[in-house]
Amino acid sequence: MSRGRRLRLLSLGTTFAVSFAAVTAAVTVVVGILSYSAAARLVRVDQQSVFAEVVQDLRAEVRANRMEPADFSSGPGHDFVRPARTDVQVLGPDGDVVDPGSPGLPVTGADREVAGAAGAGTVVQHQDVDVGSDVYRVATVALGSGRGAVQVAQEFSDTEDLLRTLQQRTWLLMAAVVVAAGLFGWWLARRITRRLVVLTDAAEAVARTRRLGIQVPVTGYDEVGRLGRAFDRMLGRLAQSEEDQRRLVQDAGHELRTPLTSLRTNISLLRRIDELPPDAREELVADLGQEARELTDLVNELVELAAGQSDAEPPQRVDLADLAEDVAALARRRTGRRIVVRAGGGTVTQGRPVLLTRALSNLVENAAKFDADGHEPIEIVVSGPDGETSGRPLRVEVLDRGPGIADDDLTRVFDRFYRAADARALPGSGLGLSIVREVALSHGGAPFAYRRDGGGSVLGFTVGRRTG
């Protein structure tokens, strides 16, 4: 058997159709058997009850009235009403047949004894009496005083024939139901698994072509529809991640090209360092040191950005006010600037402390760089929701009194490698604020920047409040 045929036989649709048919067959067989058994029992009990009533009525009549065999004759002029679906045969005093039934019933010794019995209503019953090709139940009722007896017979072979016909039709109906269930299960399985086949084809196409931009055409609001939409979103996020990585590599390559070119130029000048005057030598060495530091900073920030995009650090309970105090203490030692922390409201959230520390440090370092000659303190403001603003997210702001940010740059300061025109002469790679944006987005928040009243700027980010 080929692999493709084997896979078709083992497919979800085939399994579902066979299972559906098997369950339906089991239920149908059980219900059919129980229904037939109940119906057959009711029919047999009903027939037996009818025969018992006929015999009881006959006994009551012969006991109440002195009756002769001629009173039960089937000939003209007699008013005896023969019960429906019964055969009546009249016996004389010696047990001989006076008026035969149709068909004639066999007479046994017990029947002859009843015919000669003195007590009216004496009865003897026979079960499963063969009369020709039919089977009867027979009751012989004495007329009393040795005057004879009346035999009443009920055919129940026709009832059994009816029940056999009912049984055959029940089996045929069960077979039809099973076949219909199998066909319906096959149709339903194809309808349900059609969208799963689409998902499988899409997954195989992604594995084969390595293209993540494939659209998954899945509709519906059931589990399969949810799976399709989740798969489509997953492909979209993977495609976006791939695009972000590609763009990061391209941007990093572009940014690295300039300092590397300058570094190669200065290294080539080192071969003629003996020919340079002392001032040129010191300037060359200073340039080399500065370019090495910029390259180091750029590589470190690239590593930090890549680390910020991975969610390897587990979330934990973080107090942003305490974290801001730690960042301020470290920045004071590095820059010698005065840094003030103000906090209010609830400042506890679920987050990744290393990433949040990096983001806040980048904001403080950015403020110190652009406000290097400032005398007013750099402010860190952490504000959380209180009783009146319980739905507001946590907010982290860094305020400085530097030159501020131009209106055209406010919407772009968090882009990777973006540097405003008046900041290109300052050291930096343009990655610090983009790291802030990545950290904010990974914590359910967003970055923001605006001009500060009285001069300077305010940069910060929000954090979704998750304290569970």
Side-chain angles (χ1 to χ4, degrees):
M1 184 182 294
S2 65
R3 182 175 181 270
R5 180 172 178 77
R6 200 161 52 242
L7 289 176
R8 284 195 298 272
L9 292 177
L10 297 176
S11 67
L12 181 61
T14 302
T15 303
F16 185 85
V18 172
S19 301
F20 192 86
V23 172
T24 305
V27 173
T28 303
V29 168
V30 172
V31 173
I33 292 175
L34 293 178
S35 300
Y36 170 76
S37 300
R41 182 175 179 275
L42 288 175
V43 170
R44 291 189 179 105
V45 170
D46 181 67
Q47 291 293 322
Q48 190 171 0
S49 299
V50 170
F51 183 71
E53 290 179 2
V54 170
V55 174
Q56 189 64 30
D57 291 343
L58 181 58
R59 293 181 68 189
E61 185 174 359
V62 299
R63 285 174 178 174
N65 304 298
R66 179 182 175 84
M67 305 187 73
E68 300 293 335
D71 295 330
F72 294 94
S73 175
S74 59
H78 297 277
D79 297 331
F80 175 68
V81 179
R82 295 170 179 259
R85 301 188 65 186
T86 58
D87 185 16
V88 178
Q89 180 170 279
V90 183
L91 302 179
D94 56 357
D96 295 335
V97 177
V98 176
D99 188 2
S102 179
L105 302 175
V107 181
T108 66
D111 297 326
R112 292 186 179 91
E113 290 180 3
V114 171
T122 302
V123 64
V124 62
Q125 296 195 27
H126 308 283
Q127 300 289 336
D128 301 335
V129 178
D130 293 328
V131 181
S133 60
D134 297 323
V135 180
Y136 286 77
R137 59 170 59 93
V138 181
T140 304
V141 182
L143 298 179
S145 301
R147 292 189 301 273
V150 178
Q151 286 184 302
V152 181
Q154 182 188 54
E155 181 185 358
F156 64 86
S157 58
D158 59 344
T159 302
E160 296 300 321
D161 292 339
L162 175 64
L163 292 177
R164 278 193 293 272
T165 302
L166 177 63
Q167 185 182 49
Q168 292 174 357
R169 292 184 178 179
T170 300
W171 283 109
L172 289 176
L173 179 61
M174 288 191 296
V177 170
V178 171
V179 172
L183 294 176
F184 178 75
W186 175 80
W187 173 81
L188 185 62
R190 284 182 59 86
R191 181 179 177 85
I192 293 176
T193 59
R194 184 182 299 119
R195 291 177 292 167
L196 292 177
V197 171
V198 172
L199 288 178
T200 303
D201 293 341
E204 291 176 348
V206 171
R208 184 176 60 254
T209 63
R210 297 185 179 182
R211 292 174 52 245
L212 299 176
I214 295 177
Q215 185 72 24
V216 181
V218 176
T219 59
Y221 297 94
D222 55 2
E223 287 79 359
V224 179
R226 290 170 53 195
L227 175 62
R229 285 187 291 275
F231 186 72
D232 191 45
R233 288 194 297 269
M234 179 189 70
L235 288 180
R237 293 193 63 178
L238 289 175
Q240 183 62 44
S241 177
E242 184 181 49
E243 175 63 21
D244 290 343
Q245 292 179 0
R246 184 187 62 80
R247 186 160 52 88
L248 176 62
V249 171
Q250 291 179 346
D251 292 344
H254 175 75
E255 293 297 322
L256 286 169
R257 190 174 296 114
T258 299
L260 286 175
T261 301
S262 177
L263 191 61
R264 284 197 303 270
T265 302
N266 287 331
I267 290 175
S268 65
L269 290 177
L270 285 177
R271 298 174 180 175
R272 297 187 297 112
I273 194 170
D274 294 336
E275 304 174 6
L276 299 177
D279 293 342
R281 294 178 188 177
E282 293 181 2
E283 184 178 354
L284 177 60
V285 172
D287 288 345
L288 287 172
Q290 178 64 28
E291 290 163 358
R293 285 191 297 273
E294 289 184 2
L295 280 174
T296 301
D297 293 340
L298 179 58
V299 171
N300 289 337
E301 289 181 339
L302 284 172
V303 172
E304 290 177 356
L305 183 61
Q309 290 178 338
S310 67
D311 296 335
E313 185 185 7
Q316 55 187 283
R317 192 171 184 272
V318 181
D319 190 334
L320 291 180
D322 294 342
L323 187 146
E325 292 287 356
D326 296 338
V327 170
L330 180 61
R332 292 187 193 103
R333 291 193 298 269
R334 287 180 176 177
T335 63
R337 292 290 303 274
R338 182 186 171 197
I339 300 175
V340 178
V341 177
R342 291 188 286 112
T347 60
V348 177
T349 186
Q350 286 288 114
R352 298 176 172 87
V354 174
L355 293 182
L356 292 171
T357 300
R358 181 182 301 128
L360 189 51
S361 297
N362 287 352
L363 289 176
V364 175
E365 291 175 3
N366 182 80
K369 179 173 65 175
F370 284 93
D371 190 19
D373 299 328
H375 300 289
E376 295 190 27
I378 297 173
E379 299 179 31
I380 303 176
V381 180
V382 181
S383 57
D386 52 26
E388 298 179 356
T389 59
S390 57
R392 185 168 61 88
L394 275 74
R395 186 178 179 91
V396 179
E397 301 176 333
V398 175
L399 298 78
D400 63 62
R401 287 299 182 182
I405 303 175
D407 293 337
D408 295 339
D409 297 328
L410 285 175
T411 58
R412 301 185 60 188
V413 291
F414 293 100
D415 293 344
R416 291 176 184 171
F417 301 107
Y418 179 77
R419 303 181 72 186
D422 55 356
R424 291 170 186 168
L426 298 175
S429 62
L431 285 174
L433 295 183
S434 66
I435 293 175
V436 174
R437 181 187 65 181
E438 298 294 335
V439 172
L441 294 177
S442 68
H443 284 77
F448 58 84
Y450 58 91
R451 299 172 65 87
R452 185 181 182 185
D453 294 338
S457 59
V458 179
L459 283 80
F461 59 92
T462 58
V463 176
R465 185 173 174 81
R466 299 185 298 270
T467 58

